[in-house]
Amino acid sequence: KYKEYEKDVAIEEIDGLQLVKKLAKSMEEMFHKKAEAVRRLVEAAEEAHLKHEFDADLQYEYFNAVLINERDKDGNFLELGKEFILAPNDHFNNLPVNISLSDVQVPTNMYNKDPAIVNGVYWSESLNKVFVDNFDRDPSLIWQYFGSAKGFFRQYPGIKWEPDENGVIAFDCRNRKWYIQAATSPKDVVILVDVSGSMKGLRLTIAKQTVSSILDTLGDDDFFNIIAYNEELHYVEPCLNGTLVQADRTNKEFNHTGQGSICSQAIMLITDGAVDTYDTIFAKYNWPDRK
């Protein structure tokens, strides 16, 4: 096959060092554009939040990513579900999106019109023009978003979210790795689980779910272990006695050992027997100057 094209082929000597320098410069420019886009969003979010005064009675109709374009049996748009124009866009995997506006996803277990949500959605509307401007400046950008500590997730370009077969959207931006790593420092966490006689049936089920939820908030920068106790204590995974393991996906299934982060440290107690706030214990062992 090569013979067919041999007369058209020329061999050119390439300076490897210059090629690497060219690639490095291109990558630097690309990362700089992405960093600048984030910086502009950060500045806009901080300014908008600073100017906003919380209003517990605020009423605001926003584009809810689950409810957009949904109608009731009479053909009227649902509340928070106004018309939201969507068109397939090959830059976004040919998904139907709106490149003029963002929309907002709220976890199913949260109230769409909670005052904290509504106020946050209201002031974060100012990010729309920054999203659009960022995309105009750098057309290679894909998704841009803002994750709130209140739980709502503003996404650009706007897109419709579809619940699962049970009508649930479990996504919560605060449980995502990118959010956790940005919002917290590395942690060493020891989880103590009460398995005494009173912790049976539903209580033990709730305890296990609580531990699972805690583990969901830990990322690769965190370290943990789990200890069950009654009259005696034992490590849930015997081969991990006396150590902390990195909170990656594998170790959450309890495997390899590792070292702690030597940063923020916490002991978490899962029990049905907490009848006090134990201020004196915290004052003795955990006040600011005590570790």
Side-chain angles (χ1 to χ4, degrees):
K1 190 70 179 177
Y2 173 75
K3 291 290 184 184
E4 297 176 22
Y5 299 96
E6 188 173 20
K7 62 181 181 299
D8 302 318
V9 173
I11 295 177
E12 181 181 341
E13 187 172 339
I14 298 295
D15 185 328
L17 181 59
Q18 289 303 314
L19 179 62
V20 170
K21 286 182 177 179
K22 181 181 178 182
L23 288 170
K25 188 172 187 297
S26 297
M27 290 183 68
E28 182 180 16
E29 290 173 353
M30 184 269 289
F31 283 123
H32 178 72
K33 287 181 179 178
K34 304 295 183 283
E36 281 296 296
V38 174
R39 183 187 59 77
R40 285 190 289 269
L41 283 170
V42 169
E43 290 178 352
E46 289 178 343
E47 182 180 4
H49 184 265
L50 192 63
K51 289 180 177 178
H52 178 74
E53 290 189 14
F54 183 85
D55 179 0
D57 299 318
L58 178 64
Q59 300 294 315
Y60 182 64
E61 284 283 317
Y62 62 90
F63 289 112
N64 183 290
V66 178
L67 300 175
I68 52 172
N69 299 332
E70 294 289 329
R71 298 176 184 265
D72 61 21
K73 60 183 179 182
D74 298 321
N76 301 314
F77 285 114
L78 297 179
E79 191 176 23
L80 304 182
K82 298 175 289 184
E83 183 179 15
F84 193 75
I85 297 172
L86 299 170
N89 189 304
D90 56 3
H91 185 65
F92 297 94
N93 298 324
N94 219 33
L95 292 170
V97 297
N98 185 319
I99 59 172
S100 299
L101 292 169
S102 63
D103 58 5
V104 176
Q105 178 265 342
V106 179
T108 303
N109 63 350
M110 300 188 70
Y111 178 41
N112 283 326
K113 302 192 77 173
D114 181 279
I117 298 287
V118 174
N119 275 264
V121 170
Y122 178 78
W123 68 253
S124 66
E125 281 285 339
S126 62
L127 299 181
N128 269 321
K129 59 179 179 292
V130 186
F131 287 141
V132 174
D133 182 54
N134 280 343
F135 189 44
D136 286 342
R137 294 186 189 209
D138 181 8
S140 69
L141 277 175
I142 309 181
W143 304 103
Q144 301 176 68
Y145 39 81
F146 171 76
S148 168
K150 304 301 181 185
F152 73 85
F153 179 72
R154 180 176 289 282
Q155 183 175 22
Y156 173 87
I159 189 170
K160 184 167 177 61
W161 287 54
E162 299 291 347
D164 63 19
E165 64 275 10
N166 299 312
V168 172
I169 291 182
F171 178 89
D172 187 328
C173 64
R174 297 167 296 181
N175 290 337
R176 309 303 290 180
K177 182 177 177 180
W178 55 264
Y179 184 98
I180 295 165
Q181 288 184 323
T184 66
S185 60
K187 298 175 291 297
D188 295 336
V189 179
V190 174
I191 303 172
L192 298 175
V193 184
D194 183 354
V195 291
S196 61
S198 64
M199 292 286 286
K200 291 181 178 177
L202 182 59
R203 293 183 181 187
L204 188 58
T205 300
I206 293 172
K208 289 179 179 178
Q209 184 58 51
T210 303
V211 171
S212 178
S213 296
I214 293 170
L215 293 182
D216 283 344
T217 71
L218 302 181
D220 291 352
D221 294 334
D222 304 318
F223 293 79
F224 77 101
N225 209 331
I226 303 173
I227 300 173
Y229 74 92
N230 39 39
E231 288 78 12
E232 299 177 347
L233 62 84
H234 65 274
Y235 287 84
V236 171
E237 179 55 53
C239 69
L240 301 182
N241 280 13
T243 189
L244 293 170
V245 295
Q246 188 178 12
D248 56 23
R249 180 176 294 181
T250 304
N251 285 337
K252 287 177 185 179
E253 304 291 332
F254 309 123
N255 276 324
H256 309 295
T257 60
Q259 298 298 313
S261 67
I262 319 299
C263 194
S264 300
Q265 297 178 320
I267 299 171
M268 308 196 78
L269 180 63
I270 314 297
T271 178
D272 65 342
V275 295
D276 192 2
T277 56
Y278 302 105
D279 287 351
T280 55
I281 301 292
F282 287 108
K284 183 176 180 180
Y285 295 105
N286 203 53
W287 250 221
D289 295 330
R290 302 184 182 94
K291 300 297 183 182

